[in-house]
Amino acid sequence: MRIIIDKRDRAALFRDRLTQSMGEKGATQSGLARGIGVDRSTISQLLTGDGARLPNAQVVAECATALDVSADWLLGLTERPERLADLLATSLTMTEAPRALIDETIFCWHQEAAGYKIRHVPATLPDMLKTREMLRWEYEPQLGRTADQAIGASEDRLSLMARSGSDYEIALPVHELAAFIRAEGYYRGLPADIRAEQVARLRALYAQLYPALRIYLFDARRVFSAPVTVFGPLLAVLYLGRHYIAFRDSARVTSFSAHFDWLVREADLGARDFPTHLDALAQEAGL
């Protein structure tokens, strides 16, 4: 519901915030007056008046620009003093996404969100659930001789993430799990022994961690999601392939959370059904 602020209250708030921002900026009345092209007496009236009168839009805008704050904040329309461009810069960032197991950026995001629920739609099977041989098959073509070192570092970080106290909800397309078990598509050429070991690890981890770990399987022909991770209420990260786009403003994080919850509601197989479906696929493939 929209709250209407009394004119006197808004005028008083403007005076308080103008005084605050001048103090933080180290601006004097004379200096601010020169900076925005008005008389010093005008600034004095803005700071000491006790009525309901507000300055015109031009003066408010010039004050905001000179003091490096937003005009909306001076007028009490927002609680964030940053200007719109600065807000966008902090609420949306794009970082490089190297072809690696767990890069430093992702690891820091997990540390930041320790204790919060983490919702994840992976691009393939989730890295944190993969066996060493599965990781080597997948990443050795890119990492070469450094694959073992990278896998060891990744396992250490994944272990820390698993002990973070966060619940993990993972939404995975049904066809992704089937393609892995049958060695189709992305997983073509994956040896049967590696697939069998990976199935056993998935089964064991799920039995050990459920319900802190919950995997939902959705039909990508009915619902779709790009790879995305929501780190509690803190941020949502969209994976593009070469880059991550990270959103920190609460409205977008809430929107991504709602998207994930929609995937869960529409899932063909719920978290309790995952082990049974995994075993059925593995038996069908002779694993």
Side-chain angles (χ1 to χ4, degrees):
M1 184 178 68
R2 179 170 173 265
I3 299 175
I4 299 176
I5 301 178
D6 182 86
K7 289 182 179 180
R8 289 182 178 274
D9 293 337
R10 191 179 298 281
L13 184 58
F14 173 82
R15 290 192 294 272
D16 291 344
R17 290 185 171 182
L18 182 62
T19 301
Q20 175 187 335
S21 54
M22 287 178 63
E24 291 175 352
K25 198 73 172 178
T28 64
Q29 293 186 25
S30 299
L32 181 58
R34 287 194 301 272
I36 69 173
V38 299
D39 295 333
R40 182 184 179 282
S41 60
T42 299
I43 302 299
S44 179
Q45 289 174 4
L46 293 178
L47 294 171
T48 60
D50 59 1
R53 186 176 180 182
L54 287 165
N56 63 43
Q58 179 66 25
V59 171
V60 173
E62 293 296 341
C63 286
T65 300
L67 298 172
D68 200 27
V69 295
S70 76
D72 282 353
W73 179 75
L74 285 177
L75 292 170
L77 301 176
T78 178
E79 294 303 312
R80 298 292 298 268
E82 303 95 331
R83 292 178 297 178
L84 179 60
D86 296 328
L87 280 173
L88 288 174
T90 57
S91 66
L92 189 154
T93 57
M94 179 178 288
T95 58
E96 189 175 354
R99 179 64 170 168
L101 298 177
I102 291 292
D103 65 60
E104 191 67 30
T105 301
I106 291 180
F107 185 55
C108 289
W109 285 333
H110 276 87
Q111 287 183 309
E112 183 182 351
Y116 289 113
K117 180 192 291 187
I118 294 176
R119 301 170 170 95
H120 183 42
V121 181
T124 63
L125 291 182
D127 277 352
M128 66 184 301
L129 303 181
K130 291 173 182 173
T131 65
R132 174 175 280 262
E133 290 306 314
M134 178 78 182
L135 290 169
R136 180 177 289 108
W137 175 85
E138 190 170 6
Y139 286 100
E140 201 165 51
Q142 291 81 29
L143 300 179
R145 294 180 179 179
T146 64
D148 281 336
Q149 181 180 355
I151 290 170
S154 173
E155 288 175 338
D156 291 340
R157 291 182 175 182
L158 293 173
S159 178
L160 286 174
M161 285 161 50
R163 297 197 304 268
S164 67
S166 296
D167 278 5
Y168 283 84
E169 286 190 339
I170 297 171
L172 193 67
V174 173
H175 74 262
E176 188 72 28
L177 186 64
F180 150 67
I181 289 180
R182 297 167 183 164
E184 298 172 346
Y186 176 84
Y187 304 95
R188 185 176 299 278
L190 181 61
D193 60 332
I194 295 180
R195 286 182 282 135
E197 183 187 13
Q198 180 63 67
V199 168
R201 176 171 171 79
L202 286 173
R203 187 185 296 116
L205 284 176
Y206 208 74
Q208 174 189 347
L209 299 176
Y210 181 86
L213 170 66
R214 299 183 294 280
I215 299 178
Y216 302 86
L217 299 173
F218 62 89
D219 184 351
R221 292 173 298 178
R222 293 194 307 105
V223 294
F224 173 78
S225 179
V228 63
T229 306
V230 184
F231 295 88
L234 305 178
L235 75 155
V237 179
L238 188 65
Y239 177 58
L240 298 182
R242 292 186 59 193
H243 295 88
Y244 303 114
I245 300 181
F247 302 87
R248 287 190 175 273
D249 60 294
S250 58
R252 287 185 174 85
V253 174
T254 299
S255 178
F256 277 98
S257 296
H259 166 75
F260 187 93
D261 292 342
W262 170 71
L263 290 177
V264 169
R265 288 195 304 272
E266 295 294 324
D268 284 8
L269 296 166
R272 291 183 179 180
D273 303 317
F274 175 77
T276 302
H277 186 70
L278 176 68
D279 288 342
L281 287 174
Q283 184 176 5
E284 176 188 294
L287 299 181

